[in-house]
Amino acid sequence: MEVKREEIDRPLAEFPVNIWEDPLTSFSVSDAESERNKEKLRSLKETVRKSFMASKEEPITNMKFIDVLCRLGVSYHFEHEILEQLESMFGHHDFMQMMRDNESDLYTVSLVFQ
């Protein structure tokens, strides 16, 4: 039994030439704007650091905060603080008992496992 293959005629798209300029060819940042961005970055990092340290009082909230920092891709700014928090959290012998007492949900248990 012979199977015939039909040629498929696919039309080629003929897109018009781009009339807009490439925005990155003329992109430049002034020194003043660069300094403002650096200052804003420092301010935001300090705000996040304060929030992170405030979450230290509740270990489960702290773990969730660390997870959010990792998922956002900004955890590298706070590596030292994160390691310090995790060591103190898992260093306590009553941490697992606290997890049992709080009847943690599956999400929280998975964070501990992770």
Side-chain angles (χ1 to χ4, degrees), residues 1-104:
M1 193 160 159
E2 188 177 319
V3 179
K4 292 184 179 179
R5 290 188 170 177
E6 295 180 21
E7 288 188 33
I8 299 173
D9 185 28
R10 293 189 176 122
L12 296 175
E14 293 184 24
F15 296 109
V17 178
N18 187 5
I19 61 171
W20 305 101
E21 289 181 26
D22 186 9
L24 297 177
T25 58
S26 63
F27 180 75
S28 68
V29 178
S30 67
D31 289 336
E33 187 177 346
S34 176
E35 280 302 313
R36 276 184 289 187
N37 288 340
K38 287 179 185 178
E39 184 57 39
K40 187 170 185 172
L41 175 65
R42 278 187 228 112
S43 171
L44 291 172
K45 279 173 56 175
E46 192 56 38
T47 302
V48 171
R49 183 172 279 112
K50 286 178 184 175
S51 297
F52 181 55
M53 290 304 165
S55 73
K56 182 170 137 177
E57 300 303 320
E58 295 183 35
I60 293 173
T61 304
N62 196 324
M63 279 190 343
K64 290 179 181 180
F65 201 100
I66 291 171
D67 182 53
V68 168
L69 291 176
C70 292
R71 289 178 185 270
L72 289 174
V74 296
S75 61
Y76 66 96
H77 289 292
F78 311 101
E79 281 181 2
H80 179 71
E81 291 90 347
I82 290 173
L83 288 175
E84 198 175 275
Q85 295 289 331
L86 290 174
E87 285 175 0
S88 72
M89 215 182 311
F90 290 109
H92 290 294
H93 63 281
D94 62 338
F95 180 73
M96 294 310 284
Q97 186 61 41
M98 181 196 65
M99 291 292 292
R100 284 187 211 104
D101 292 345
N102 287 340
E103 295 179 6
S104 300

